[in-house]
Amino acid sequence: MPSLNQELYPEIRKLYEGGFPMVKIAKHFNVTLDAVTYAMRKAKIPRRNTRESQAILFAQKPQSFTVKKLRTKKEKDTAIMGISLYWAEGHKTNGSHGVDFANSDPLMIKSFMRFLRTCYKFDEKRLRIYLYAYSNQEVGNLIDFWSNLTKIPKTQFTKPYIRRDFKPNGRKMPYGLVHIRYSDKKLLFDILKRIEFMKEI
């Protein structure tokens, strides 16, 4: 494969600073990765660190959802309710892989699902439910219950967590507890952005 001459250095810089990974630059010029590395070193183009590279890859990754336009008061009220629920009960750290809302109250879970479906058009097949239950509960019945409530197929339930240290006088969770999960960090960031906006109101 050919090498990269100095006349191409400005274009290499423009591509790299515009977010192109080195592998893609090599493919663009039909050269080896070593040729790109050498040209960047000669052109004194600073390399991105791991965090910067990950940020660019994340930004370029297509999101699996679209934000719906809320037209009615009921839809807007549903959005406020869902944002408030996630603010209180949702997993909100940057280390999360996506949306994770946990609760044992069927009405809260149903309300959160209504929020998701009202505010977003998303890939329902990416939804997962993680059930947390006690050993004295019938797991199959609980899965049936939550599947009917959320309209999420039982095939999208992950392996449940069963606590063996059941105490008769302990916390009462007649339906167990479930995590509603959606594996798209961009959806999480959109919800977090809405929470931040709500804080300013």
Side-chain angles (χ1 to χ4, degrees), residues 15-67:
L15 289 172
Y16 189 71
E17 291 179 350
F20 269 54
M22 292 172 63
V23 172
K24 195 170 181 179
I25 294 174
K27 186 176 181 180
H28 176 79
F29 289 108
N30 195 30
V31 298
T32 65
L33 182 59
D34 286 342
V36 174
T37 303
Y38 177 79
M40 288 180 59
R41 186 167 62 248
K42 294 293 288 184
K44 297 182 180 179
I45 301 172
R47 297 276 295 274
R48 290 188 285 265
N49 59 38
T50 302
R51 178 176 294 181
E52 291 169 337
S53 297
Q54 290 176 342
I56 289 174
L57 288 174
F58 177 74
Q60 294 175 343
K61 186 177 180 180
Q63 63 187 36
S64 64
F65 66 96
T66 54
V67 179

